[in-house]
């Protein structure tokens, strides 16, 4: 419903030459908590690619569940709980009234005729009103899959419970303001003494007892009216002269305050309160362009637009302290406030740039609403990449085992660098990492060595959405060889490790016209690994085919954001992955002291959790969410390795290993290099 209960978007265009503003139906106010018509542009299940495309089209809806034969649409209203958006879907031949919900996606209402539109929804979204053409305009009420034809005309607004509807019917060629109680129509009359002429009901209070709109009077002029059960239709006073043309846009929940504007050698924002009229303050002296578009539940805060000294139009709000310019996006050439929360703290509208119009949300600073929502989606990608990089770093602990003879000890020191993943253009960046591992082992026999490793490591996301601090980890491992140091016959290895890394998380990096939100979280990763192989000699080469299985689990702690007008809290994030690996390695002696090795293999994730995040926020319509990462995942990946070992003495060796292959995430590959020193004592 309008006037603090429903939402529709103003389709007002930019100010043209002569500072004339052209409008059409559709400016209304916003539901309790600022219900999210604009928010629905980015659904929890939409991919980031879809999100970016859809948000560039303010008047085009790209919602999940959009039938393939639909080419676009317009959204006009939203339920009070922010869960149901109403409007129309368009194909090449027809325009269909439709509703959208997170559960069902877009659902055409099934109205007759070639064209139909849904204008408003009740607080719960169960009742929808609008108009269909068959072939002339008819008002309708829709509920539970069934609709009622209310007669020739249009239904514009409804009460919070959906019982009362405000609109108009065409009777004997004249438009008449109507309040429906269910399907029963009540003609509210006109301002003419003989009750003839035309009238239009535009807005209705939360309980349906007060209606505001427009009507002809005895002088043949259009006047704003207020209607109540006790006094009937009463003309609202003029603000400047009898020549003015009024328009009504919103009403407070209790019906005391009506807002709109008047046209008379300019356009002026006004409010009617207790049937008296007040011309609202402007940003500049002698302004001739302003308009009020919505009002808070108690009528204390009004939003709209006003012109400035540089001949642009800015979104504004009016309070008892006067007018406030809330236009804070420097790249915007104009902005318009069109909706407000019940308590007046949150304002929505749109701003204009050379590329087009974009929605905004304001609490203390104007933010691009679409990009705020995109930034939350982007955190799903950031989480996925950060978790993958952390798993990669901790997994190195499982690859640092070695063999020594019975009764001897050994030490291995290795430094690793790796690069992995891709954001595929979503502004998140690839993951990379580095680690240093120190391992000690002891030979229980010539065939069995047990040991432990400790590590320090770091992993980050390319744009520092996750700016991770240095982590630490530890592992226990074992190496088994049927023939000991010769590594012929059966070979086996196992490892169990754990690592922790703290992170400073920043949402909004890479996005324009939004406030950055920050938080702190920990990444805990555990790894289990086992492998079995068989080594055999063929010519000068030692060839070892093997298979292995590893399970990695990463847990990101829950955290809450600070620093922005729009804040989110994220639930604990878990990512489990079980991977089978098959590979073949071959090693040969190339000098008296040097050995060269090569390997090829394939990995396959037999289990991989969805990389999604869940949480809650104070972003309208986004109070609770589960968002999946839009980054491609490769469950089967090939890789190749190469290495060189050089014996410095009988008991000491330098080595270098490189690895390249398909990254698990994104469209690019991964690569890594390990350099180290090994000593037996």
């Amino acid at each position: 419903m309008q006037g603090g209960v429903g939402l529709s978007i103003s389709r007002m265009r930019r100010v043209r030459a002569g500072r004339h503003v052209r409008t059409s139906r559709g400016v209304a106010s916003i539901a309790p908590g600022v219900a999210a018509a604009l928010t629905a542009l980015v659904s929890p299940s939409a991919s980031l690619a879809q999100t970016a495309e859809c948000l560039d089209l303010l008047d085009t809806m790209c919602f999940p569940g959009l039938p393939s034969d639909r080419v676009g649409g317009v959204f006009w209203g939203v339920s009070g709980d922010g869960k149901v958006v109403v409007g129309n879907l368009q194909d090449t031949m027809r325009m269909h009234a439709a509703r959208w919900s997170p559960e069902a996606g877009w659902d055409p209402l099934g109205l007759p005729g070639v064209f139909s539109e849904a204008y408003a929804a009740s607080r719960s979204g169960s009742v929808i009103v609008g108009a269909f053409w068959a072939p002339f305009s008819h008002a309708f009420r829709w509920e539970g899959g069934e609709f009622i034809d209310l007669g020739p005309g249009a239904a514009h607004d409804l009460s919070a419970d959906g019982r009362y509807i405000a609109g108009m019917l065409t009777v004997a060629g004249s438009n008449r303001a109507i309040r429906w109680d269910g399907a029963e129509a009540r003609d509210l009359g006109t301002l003419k003494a003989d009750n003839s002429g035309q009238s239009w009901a535009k807005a209705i209070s939360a309980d349906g007892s007060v209606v505001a709109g427009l009507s002809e009077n005895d002088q043949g002029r259009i006047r704003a009216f207020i209607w109540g059960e006790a006094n009937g239709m009463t003309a609202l006073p003029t603000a400047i002269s009898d020549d003015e043309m009024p328009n009504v846009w919103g009403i407070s929940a209790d019906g005391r305050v009506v807002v709109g504007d008047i046209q008379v050698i300019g356009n002026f924002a006004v409010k009617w309160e207790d049937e008296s009229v007040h011309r609202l303050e402007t940003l500049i002296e002698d302004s001739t362009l302003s308009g009020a578009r919505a009002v808070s539940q108690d009528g204390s805060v009004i939003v709209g637009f006003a012109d400035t000294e540089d001949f642009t139009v800015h979104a504004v709000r009016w309070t008892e302290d006067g007018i406030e310019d809330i236009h804070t996006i420097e790249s915007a050439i104009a902005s318009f406030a069109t909706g407000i929360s019940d308590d007046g703290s949150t304002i929505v509208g749109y701003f204009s740039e050379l590329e087009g119009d974009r929605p905004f949300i304001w609490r203390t600073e104007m933010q691009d609403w679409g990009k705020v929502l995109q930034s939350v989606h982007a955190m799903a990608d950031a989480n996925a990449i950060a978790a993958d990089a952390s798993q990669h770093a901790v997994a190195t602990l499982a690859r640092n085992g070695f063999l020594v003879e019975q009764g001897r000890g050994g030490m291995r020191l290795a430094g690793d660098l790796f690069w992995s993943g891709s954001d595929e253009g979503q502004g998140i960046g690839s993951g990379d990492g580095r680690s240093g591992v120190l391992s000690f082992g002891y030979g229980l026999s010539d065939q069995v060595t047990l040991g432990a490793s400790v590590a320090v490591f770091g992993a980050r996301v390319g744009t520092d959405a996750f700016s991770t601090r240095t982590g630490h980890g530890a592992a226990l491992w074992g190496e088994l060889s049927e023939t000991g140091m010769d590594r012929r016959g059966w070979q086996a290895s196992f490892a169990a490790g754990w690592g922790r890394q703290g992170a400073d998380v920043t949402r909004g990096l890479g996005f324009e016209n939004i406030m950055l939100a920050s938080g702190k979280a920990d990444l805990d990763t555990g790894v289990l690994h086992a492998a079995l192989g068989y080594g055999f000699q063929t010519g000068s080469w030692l060839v070892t085919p093997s298979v292995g299985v590893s399970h990695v689990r990463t847990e990101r702690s829950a955290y809450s954001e600070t620093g922005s007008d729009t804040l989110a809290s994220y639930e604990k994030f878990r990512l489990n992955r079980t991977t089978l690996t098959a590979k073949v390695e071959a090693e040969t002696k190339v000098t008296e002291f040097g050995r060269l090795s090569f390997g090829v293999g394939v990995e396959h994730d037999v289990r991989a959790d969805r990389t999604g995040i869940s949480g809650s926020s104070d972003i309208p319509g986004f109070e609770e969410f589960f968002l999946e990462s839009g980054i491609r995942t490769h469950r089967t990946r090939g890789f190749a390795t190469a290495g060189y070992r050089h014996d410095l003495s009988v008991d000491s060796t330098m080595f270098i290993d490189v690895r390249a292959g398909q990254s698990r995430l994104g469209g690019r590959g991964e690569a890594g290099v390990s350099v180290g020193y090994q000593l037996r004592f």
Side-chain angles (χ1 to χ4, degrees), residues 296-313:
S296 61
Q297 186 174 40
D298 63 0
S300 64
V301 185
I302 300 168
V303 299
F305 61 89
D307 60 349
T308 68
E309 291 182 349
D310 60 358
F311 301 100
T312 61
V313 176

Side-chain angles (χ1 to χ4, degrees), residues 435-511:
S435 65
V437 183
L438 178 63
S439 302
F440 292 94
Y442 180 77
L444 298 182
S445 68
D446 287 345
Q447 291 78 35
V448 180
T449 300
L450 299 180
S453 301
V454 294
V456 294
F457 60 88
R460 72 178 186 91
V461 175
T463 61
D464 292 328
F466 270 76
S467 180
T468 52
R469 298 182 290 275
T470 300
H472 56 272
L476 298 175
W477 52 265
E479 293 284 328
L480 297 86
S481 173
E482 184 178 357
T483 59
M485 299 290 291
D486 288 340
R487 286 200 174 271
R488 294 181 177 87
W490 291 105
Q491 314 292 313
S493 62
F494 67 88
W498 169 88
R500 166 172 286 186
Q501 191 174 23
D504 297 312
V505 190
T506 304
R507 176 173 59 81
L509 289 170
F511 294 93

Side-chain angles (χ1 to χ4, degrees), residues 343-366:
D343 63 4
S345 64
T346 302
I347 299 168
V348 298
Y350 69 92
F351 63 94
S352 298
E353 296 181 319
L354 294 176
E355 296 79 12
D357 299 332
R358 297 190 62 84
F360 75 76
I361 181 171
W362 180 96
R363 287 181 176 136
T364 64
E365 184 176 320
M366 185 179 290

Side-chain angles (χ1 to χ4, degrees), residues 146-361:
E146 301 292 333
F147 80 95
I148 300 174
D149 185 346
L150 299 174
H156 294 297
D157 198 11
L158 73 171
S159 60
D161 62 3
R163 174 179 173 179
Y164 297 102
I165 301 169
M168 66 88 177
L169 286 177
T170 302
V171 181
S174 295
N175 296 320
R176 306 287 294 191
I178 300 293
R179 189 190 75 162
W180 287 272
D181 183 350
E184 182 179 349
R186 178 172 182 173
D187 189 338
L188 303 184
T190 71
L191 294 174
K192 287 190 170 187
D194 62 0
N195 202 31
S196 64
Q198 303 196 76
S199 58
W200 304 262
K202 301 292 291 294
I204 192 168
S205 64
D207 64 0
S209 65
V210 182
V211 178
L214 303 171
S215 172
E216 286 184 296
N217 65 9
D218 286 325
Q219 289 73 46
R221 301 182 184 276
I222 301 298
R223 290 288 177 263
F225 73 75
I226 192 90
W227 178 93
E229 195 71 49
N231 300 318
M233 184 179 292
T234 303
L236 294 171
T238 57
I240 298 177
S241 74
D242 288 341
D243 294 326
E244 66 188 45
M245 174 68 76
N247 208 343
V248 170
W249 292 107
I251 190 170
S252 61
D254 61 6
R256 289 182 55 250
V257 178
V258 177
V259 300
D261 48 48
I262 58 172
Q263 294 181 16
V264 54
I265 316 177
N267 200 90
F268 305 96
V270 296
K271 75 169 180 177
W272 293 272
E273 184 173 7
D274 296 328
E275 300 185 21
S276 63
V277 66
H278 306 272
R279 184 175 163 184
L280 298 177
E281 184 181 354
T282 55
L283 294 173
I284 58 175
E285 189 177 356
D286 299 325
S287 168
T288 59
L289 181 59
S290 62
R293 289 295 178 265
V295 59
S296 61
Q297 186 174 40
D298 63 0
S300 64
V301 185
I302 300 168
V303 299
F305 61 89
D307 60 349
T308 68
E309 291 182 349
D310 60 358
F311 301 100
T312 61
V313 176
H314 286 187
V316 299
R317 70 169 188 157
W318 292 273
T319 66
E320 61 180 8
D321 297 325
I323 190 172
E324 179 183 358
D325 188 343
I326 64 172
H327 180 108
T328 58
I329 294 178
E330 294 183 358
S331 62
I333 58 179
S335 59
F336 304 85
T338 61
I340 188 171
S341 61
D342 280 353
D343 63 4
S345 64
T346 302
I347 299 168
V348 298
Y350 69 92
F351 63 94
S352 298
E353 296 181 319
L354 294 176
E355 296 79 12
D357 299 332
R358 297 190 62 84
F360 75 76
I361 181 171

